[in-house]
Amino acid sequence: MQQTIATLAGAAVTLALVAASASPAFAVSRGNMPAYCRGEASSQYGTKPMYVKTGKIAKAKDGSLSIKGTVDQGSEGIKAFQCRFDKKGNFIDVMALTSDGE
């Protein structure tokens, strides 16, 4: 009986740890959004954040936030993108605004 309880408790702890480590959503403060956006865009485009420029934060009617920017990819040119955040400040994604011709 004690072994069964210990096994169940161990399983519960394991499930809690897995759930906690599965990309928890967290709000990004407005002051940190441009830097966070540059980091995410640089990762998506495979470049350094210093080659990424971001504009001002725009607020949509539904309360969501976005930041438009550009990334200099050298010989591949300058690509436009938009970082999107929900109304709570949770990062959604980086959306390409420049077609890669695909």
Side-chain angles (χ1 to χ4, degrees):
M1 178 75 165
Q2 271 186 326
Q3 187 176 14
T4 302
I5 292 172
T7 302
L8 289 174
V13 169
T14 301
L15 286 173
L17 289 172
V18 168
S21 67
S23 322
F26 64 92
V28 179
S29 70
R30 282 183 72 107
N32 289 333
M33 283 183 182
Y36 191 89
C37 179
R38 283 190 297 275
E40 292 293 322
S42 68
S43 176
Q44 179 170 318
Y45 286 95
T47 190
K48 295 180 181 178
M50 65 186 282
Y51 298 116
V52 179
K53 298 199 182 310
T54 53
K56 294 181 180 179
I57 299 170
K59 187 173 185 178
K61 289 181 181 180
D62 67 358
S64 63
L65 304 166
S66 64
I67 302 174
K68 288 186 178 181
T70 58
V71 59
D72 185 345
Q73 292 198 290
S75 62
E76 293 181 39
I78 295 176
K79 309 289 184 179
F81 66 88
Q82 179 175 336
C83 290
R84 300 185 310 156
F85 298 85
D86 68 16
K87 62 184 174 183
K88 294 180 181 178
N90 297 311
F91 176 75
I92 298 171
D93 63 7
V94 176
M95 184 173 66
L97 299 177
T98 303
S99 171
D100 287 335
E102 296 176 356

